[in-house]
Amino acid sequence: VQLQASGGGLVQAGDSLRLSCQASGRTFGGVTVGWFRQAPGKEREFVAGFFRWNGNPFYADSVKGRSTVARDNAKSTLSLQINSLKPEDAAVYYCAMSTRGILSTLREPSSYDYWGRGTQVTVSS
């Protein structure tokens, strides 16, 4: 399984950004997929994702209300749009896939089996 994230870049605070993730080698059907981010000196944290077949997205409180995550199981793509970007949103964003079926670990990086290389998001104030 390979995951390729794209769409990062340099944006200004208040702008919007849409990230995309393309999977190959496995479809998204029935697996947990998510976006994580990691800023310098900080731990990797969950941003948004879907648990297995559940069509309802999960969000971190830090982005809830200003972001939208979407998945296309047929195309094995996962997207994340974040609006009203803040300097604290700056990080390397990763898409990840978990083949385990434990909802309580959705937000834990250690529960994910496959990771993309990440895409850098820089937010200027």
Side-chain angles (χ1 to χ4, degrees):
V1 176
Q2 290 188 331
L3 301 172
Q4 180 65 52
S6 62
L10 173 62
V11 297
Q12 292 187 337
D15 286 351
S16 298
L17 194 67
R18 186 176 185 273
L19 306 178
S20 297
C21 177
Q22 177 70 58
S24 59
R26 174 154 187 171
T27 65
F28 279 171
V31 297
T32 297
V33 290
W35 286 99
F36 288 77
R37 67 186 182 187
Q38 188 167 18
K42 296 189 176 181
E43 294 185 352
R44 191 168 297 188
E45 64 175 3
F46 174 81
V47 179
F50 293 91
F51 176 71
R52 301 191 72 186
W53 291 109
N54 190 328
N56 297 316
F58 293 82
Y59 295 97
D61 289 343
S62 58
V63 299
K64 190 179 295 183
R66 60 185 182 94
S67 65
T68 301
V69 62
R71 68 190 288 178
D72 185 325
N73 290 339
K75 296 181 179 179
S76 293
T77 58
L78 182 71
S79 66
L80 174 69
Q81 174 152 339
I82 305 178
N83 302 317
S84 303
L85 281 158
K86 307 174 183 180
E88 51 263 42
D89 291 319
V92 177
Y93 284 71
Y94 300 89
C95 58
M97 178 190 295
S98 173
T99 58
R100 311 174 204 186
I102 305 174
L103 179 58
S104 62
T105 65
L106 173 73
R107 291 175 169 79
E108 298 177 14
S110 61
S111 70
Y112 287 74
D113 308 293
Y114 304 101
W115 291 85
R117 294 202 319 181
T119 184
Q120 177 74 50
V121 173
T122 303
V123 183
S124 64
S125 57

